[in-house]
Amino acid sequence: RTQKRIDEMTEILEGRKARKARKEAIELDNEALRLRFNLHQIERQIREREVAEKMANRPTYQKVIGEIGETANTIRALMTSFDFSAPLRQGLILTVAHPVRSAVAFPEMFRAAFSAEKAFGQAEALRNRPNAPLYESSGLYLAEHGGRLSAMEEAFKSRRAEKIPLIGRGIRASQRAYTSYLNRIRADSFDAMVKGLTKDGRGNPAELKA
C-alpha cells in the first residue's frame, strides 16, 4: 500500500496524474438522517447492554469503587442539569473571543436540547464536514451525544441520572445542549484556524495539532 501511494504521488509530482479534489460535505435528506438516527439509537442500546454485562461481572471491590464514582457523577449531573451554561463555562473563551461564531451556535444549542434527532443531525453535519478527517487525526475533542461515558462531556457522565423519572429527561436535554454547542464552536474554530493560520489553508500534521 505504501509503494502504491508513492507511485501515485510520483505521478502527481510529474504531472501525469491530477490530485483528487478535497472531500465535499455530504448532504443528508430527512429520510437518510432519520435512518442514521435510528441506527445510532440501536448501537447505543447495544453499547449499554455490553457495559451492563461487563459491570455485573466485576469483582466486588470494583463494584464498590464504581458505585462511589457513579454516585458522584449522578450528583454532579443533577447539579448541572436544566441549564444552558456551556457558553459561559467550558466555552467561555471561545464565546467571548468570537461572538459571531457563538451566535451561530446558540440556536443549535436550543434545538438540540428539545430534540434528540436535531442533536444527532448536528453531530452528523460535523462528521460530514470536509475537515472531519483532520478533527480526528489532529486530536480535536468532540464529545459524543449519548455515546460512551468516556466520550461524553464531564458534567454529564452518569447513566443513572438519565434514568430518573422526569428529571432524567431534563438531564438528557441539558447534555445535548451542552455537547452540541461545544462541539460546534470547537469545530468552527478549528476550521477557521486551518484556513487562516496555515500556509496552504490545509496544514501539515504539526500545524494541525498545534
Side-chain angles (χ1 to χ4, degrees), residues 23 125-138 142 190-191:
K23 174 187 173 184
L126 294 184
R127 282 191 284 268
N128 287 313
R129 284 187 177 187
N131 280 339
L134 302 183
Y135 301 160
E136 184 173 354
S137 63
S138 305
L142 297 177
F190 184 95
D191 289 347

Side-chain angles (χ1 to χ4, degrees), residues 37-108:
F37 175 73
N38 290 342
L39 175 61
H40 173 75
Q41 295 296 90
I42 294 170
E43 290 174 339
R44 178 182 181 180
Q45 292 175 23
I46 292 173
R47 285 197 300 269
E48 289 183 341
R49 185 177 63 186
E50 291 172 344
V51 169
E53 292 173 351
K54 183 177 180 180
M55 294 180 70
N57 293 323
R58 292 176 300 171
T60 302
Y61 77 92
Q62 288 186 358
K63 290 181 180 180
V64 172
I65 295 173
E67 185 67 23
I68 294 172
E70 179 67 13
T71 299
N73 285 335
T74 299
I75 293 172
R76 182 161 48 184
L78 290 171
M79 292 174 63
T80 54
S81 62
F82 300 98
D83 70 14
F84 298 89
S85 59
L88 298 179
R89 294 182 66 185
Q90 284 178 276
L92 177 61
I93 294 176
L94 291 177
T95 298
V96 174
H98 303 284
V100 175
R101 200 176 299 161
S102 303
V104 174
F106 266 116
E108 290 197 359

Side-chain angles (χ1 to χ4, degrees), residues 119 141 160 174 188:
Y141 177 73
R160 181 180 299 169
S174 295
D188 285 352

